[in-house]
Structure formats: structure tokens, C-alpha cells
Amino acid sequence: MELFYRVSFQEVVADALSLVEERELSSKHALERVFKKVSGRDRDKARGLAHAYVFEIEKWRAKIDFIINSVLRGSSVDDLDPYLANLLRIGTFEIHFRKVPPAVATDSIIRVVKERFDFSRAKFVNALMHEIEKFDVEKALKRLREGDRIEWLSVRFSHPRWYVEYAVELLGYDEAVRLLLSNNRPQRYYVRANTLKTDVDSLRDYLEENGVRTALTPVPDVLKILEYKTPVTRLDWYKEGKFVIQDLASAYVAHVLAPEPGERVLDLAAAPGSKTFHAAALMENRGEIVAVDYSYDRLMRMKEKMKLLGIKNVKLVHADGQSFKDKEKFDKIILDAPCSSSGTYRQFPEVKWRFDENKIKRIISVQRNMLRNAYENLRDGGEMTYSTCSIRIDEDEENVLFAVERVGLELVDYPFGWGDRGFLEIGDRVFRAWTHRHDCNGFFIAKLRKG
């Protein structure tokens, strides 16, 4: 494979993994940054393979780290230089998951270590790689299962321990295992027709003509992708903005909100923009949507996408959704709150390793500040949706109870047409989707009103 980067393929992957970890970028954006510096005949082929490596290493990181920690005996992969740790993860992944011949996998890692570090570190890594090669994963997992069933689930299915404990408590052991399994399956893709440019029937015909088999879904403008010959992102209609890729549950939010042409709508955490754009289409580009986000870069990406989709009624505002105020009140508000993303592990495996209980407490505080601020921005009689891509009750039902009991919002009895109901005393009045039950992201929606 011919690449021009002054580096090997393993360094490309290690650079991307480091960006994912240090800058909290998605795998996709990390690889975009790394590949800006890569040229050569095999660039596209290498990018596809690098994406597969980064995605799978993030997905199986707990299991990979379990192997490395077992051979380190007493210390941990987290004690190592972060770049060296990522090189070891790549080597372990190649030997135990991709079944690359151990000598080849070890040699490619040692070369990078010699170049980036020193001879003594290369000697240390060489010895570790030989231990990793000989390590009997199944035998070690069997021992772990006998000693600590939760830790065994955490390693076997590569999820954070807190998540496994939470899922078992919430759903029971058997169903929690089904959820863990489902999170590790290939992502299911959905496409939403951009009704400013086409309709769902025309989109379905077009996709069928281009070798993409689809199915209808409970969301009227969304199709489920069953099979494809060419990735849908390479099709002309995608490049022309006639459809977007959007998760099924995420696309339900705008329908639950039901914004009307001519209304004033506020999106308090708008980027990357899927729900904003969907609301604009349902409003037929009439009225106004104020789209607020704290990330200027993400707003600029929204601006580009708006041109492509033909959206003309959205005003982008760089501000904090916890404190943004407008002179006039709004008829409708979308609050798709920043959250632990614990419902999106199938789509973004890297987020599994970003949260612990302390960080989740901090994010719940942000969610509650945004709920208070939404109330201040909503006109009397105005409606809003509160949604997250989290499975956690403290980010979902408990926050709705906070909004009702402490903020002054009312919970609307919305007739959800699909999905499951939730938990606590308001469980039958809120929406939940689950990866293992509904083949989409784990998701929560509640509709609220200012009385």
C-alpha cells in the first residue's frame, strides 16, 4: 500500500486514535484531520481501512485493554505514554481481532516505536507483543466470569462497567445482554427525504433504481436502508441535498414538536443540525428558526449544509443554550440536550469511554439549566420537545419531573405512535427507543408545554 505521509499506516491510525481521545473528536472527524496530510495512490483505500481500524478499536477497547493489562501484570495501559498505548492497541487488535500474522503485526508496531521513541522502549514493546500473541483470551474471560459477572460482561462486550451495571439494573440481566450485543452490531442506516426538494415516495423509487433496497418506517419521511450496492452518500440525490442520513428516533423529534409554517422556533443545542433542518422542512421554509450552539465550527458546518438543503428560514446564533435570550418569545422550542450519548454506542463507539458518573452529574446540571432557559424563552401556551440520546433515567424522566415540578412546564399527553414508554410515574407519557428493540439509537422524547 503506497502512502505519502512520511509515516506508516499504523501511525495514521495511532494519530487518529490520539485525536479521538485527546480532542474528543468523532472517529470520522479525527480521520478527516489526519488524512488532510496524506496523499498517494492508495489514499482512499487506506482511509477506508483506517476508518475500520479506528472504529473497531474504539468498539472493542475494553477487551483490547483487558488483554494488554493482563500481560502488563500490575501496571495498566493507562499508565503508558498515550501514543504508545494506542500503538499497543493497534497491535493487539491486529493479532486477536484481524488475525494478522503476529510477526507482521509486531514488526510494524516495533518500527514505529523505534522511530517515535527509543531502542529500550522498542525492546519493552517487543516483549509485550510476544506475550500478547500467546495470551489465551477465552481462558482469561472464563476465569473472569467465575469471579465477577459484571466485569466479565464489561470486557466480553466491551462496554464501561458503569453502563453494564446501569443496564442490568434497568432492564434485567438477559435484556441487558441483548442491548450490549445490539450495540456491537453494524450500524443501521436511515435516510430522511428533504421535503423541500422531494417526497418520500420519489426518494424510495430513486433509491430502488440505484440498487438501494428500503423499507418504510413509523416516521413518514424516513426510510430504512436494507441493502445497497453503492453507499448512499455517493448518489447524486445525496450530493444535491434531496435526502439526508438521520437516525429514525432522531427524526421523530420534529414530528412530535409539529412546528407550523410561520411560527417562531428556537433550537437551543442545534449542531450538527438534523432536527433544525427537519423542522425547517416541516415549516416549508416559512417562519423563523433561531438555531443556537456553543460551537462556532459546528455552526459553520451547519451553514454549508443549509445551502445544500435549500433551507432559508434558519438564523444561526453562536451562544450558550444555558443562557441565550431573545427579545421575543418563541412558539416552539427544540431542546435536544447534550448528554452522555449512552444510546449511540453502535454509531459512535468512542463515546463509551468519555463519561463517568462525575461527568454525567455535570452534564445533568447543564441539561437542567437549559430546561430553565427554555421555559424563559417560550411564550405562554408554547410547546417544546425535550430529547436525549441517553438510556439513563437521570438524564431523561428525572429531568422531565424537574421541568414539571421545579421549572413550571406541563407534560403533554402526546399520542406516540411507536417505540416504548419509559419509567417512573410519568413513564406512560414519554417515548423511548432502544437499539435492541427498535434497530435505531437509544432515544428519549417528552413533549412539554408552558401553561
Side-chain angles (χ1 to χ4, degrees), residues 64-108:
I64 290 167
D65 284 5
F66 171 72
I67 296 167
I68 299 169
N69 289 338
S70 298
V71 302
L72 278 169
R73 294 188 190 92
S75 63
S76 155
V77 68
D78 295 328
D79 302 327
L80 301 173
D81 174 276
Y83 197 85
L84 190 68
N86 282 328
L87 288 171
L88 281 169
R89 286 178 181 127
I90 294 164
T92 306
F93 172 69
E94 289 195 317
I95 290 171
H96 285 280
F97 291 79
R98 285 189 70 88
K99 306 302 178 191
V100 171
V104 175
T106 300
D107 183 57
S108 57

Side-chain angles (χ1 to χ4, degrees), residues 218-238:
V219 180
D221 44 9
V222 174
L223 296 170
K224 183 185 215 175
I225 303 294
L226 301 175
E227 281 180 349
Y228 57 86
K229 289 178 184 140
T230 307
V232 292
T233 50
R234 291 194 195 155
L235 298 176
D236 289 343
W237 275 28
Y238 178 78

Side-chain angles (χ1 to χ4, degrees), residues 291-297 299-300 315-321 324:
V292 173
D293 204 86
Y294 68 91
S295 167
Y296 183 77
D297 289 346
L299 285 171
M300 288 306 98
K315 177 184 165 191
L316 299 173
V317 178
H318 182 218
D320 187 342
F324 171 81

Side-chain angles (χ1 to χ4, degrees), residues 58-59 157-160 184 345 348-354:
E58 290 295 347
K59 184 199 284 189
F157 296 108
S158 194
H159 281 65
N184 286 335
Y345 289 176
F348 303 112
E350 61 272 10
V351 301
K352 289 197 268 197
W353 319 116
R354 288 189 183 158

Side-chain angles (χ1 to χ4, degrees), residues 75-310:
S75 63
S76 155
V77 68
D78 295 328
D79 302 327
L80 301 173
D81 174 276
Y83 197 85
L84 190 68
N86 282 328
L87 288 171
L88 281 169
R89 286 178 181 127
I90 294 164
T92 306
F93 172 69
E94 289 195 317
I95 290 171
H96 285 280
F97 291 79
R98 285 189 70 88
K99 306 302 178 191
V100 171
V104 175
T106 300
D107 183 57
S108 57
I109 295 301
I110 296 302
R111 280 188 200 181
V112 181
V113 177
K114 279 179 181 169
E115 205 169 291
R116 293 264 181 148
F117 296 95
D118 51 41
F119 185 74
S120 67
R121 206 78 65 96
K123 201 174 164 187
F124 164 71
V125 170
N126 190 44
L128 269 184
M129 288 297 292
H130 285 304
E131 291 286 314
I132 285 164
E133 176 196 337
K134 291 184 285 181
F135 185 71
D136 188 333
V137 183
E138 290 312 311
K139 193 175 169 186
L141 281 173
K142 195 179 173 194
R143 274 201 311 272
L144 189 63
R145 185 178 187 173
E146 287 159 7
D148 185 340
R149 181 65 71 94
I150 294 293
E151 190 63 23
W152 171 74
L153 286 176
S154 171
V155 172
R156 167 73 180 79
F157 296 108
S158 194
H159 281 65
R161 186 181 174 106
W162 70 258
Y163 180 97
V164 176
E165 286 172 341
Y166 199 92
V168 170
E169 196 176 322
L170 195 64
L171 302 170
Y173 184 87
D174 290 343
E175 193 165 1
V177 169
R178 285 200 289 277
L179 176 60
L180 300 176
L181 272 165
S182 184
N183 284 343
N184 286 335
R185 290 206 176 100
Q187 186 192 345
R188 170 67 69 192
Y189 289 99
Y190 293 88
V191 293
R192 175 175 63 77
N194 176 14
T195 51
L196 295 172
K197 293 191 170 192
T198 188
D199 59 74
V200 74
D201 294 330
S202 304
L203 174 61
R204 196 172 192 203
D205 292 343
Y206 171 80
L207 292 171
E208 297 282 343
E209 284 161 19
N210 284 274
V212 182
R213 208 159 62 80
T214 63
L216 298 173
T217 72
V219 180
D221 44 9
V222 174
L223 296 170
K224 183 185 215 175
I225 303 294
L226 301 175
E227 281 180 349
Y228 57 86
K229 289 178 184 140
T230 307
V232 292
T233 50
R234 291 194 195 155
L235 298 176
D236 289 343
W237 275 28
Y238 178 78
K239 293 169 187 170
E240 292 162 18
K242 290 185 177 174
F243 69 89
V244 295
I245 293 169
Q246 187 174 359
D247 182 71
L248 178 67
S250 162
Y252 194 37
V253 172
H255 287 288
V256 173
L257 184 67
E260 299 284 342
E263 287 185 326
R264 287 194 85 231
V265 176
L266 172 64
D267 190 336
L268 272 175
S274 357
K275 296 169 193 69
T276 314
F277 304 150
H278 196 180
L282 294 178
M283 291 165 74
E284 300 164 10
N285 259 340
R286 291 185 281 147
E288 183 187 33
I289 302 176
V290 176
V292 173
D293 204 86
Y294 68 91
S295 167
Y296 183 77
D297 289 346
R298 280 153 62 94
L299 285 171
M300 288 306 98
R301 285 203 286 272
M302 277 181 72
K303 192 176 182 181
E304 289 304 307
K305 193 81 174 176
M306 278 161 56
K307 284 182 202 162
L308 177 70
L309 300 177

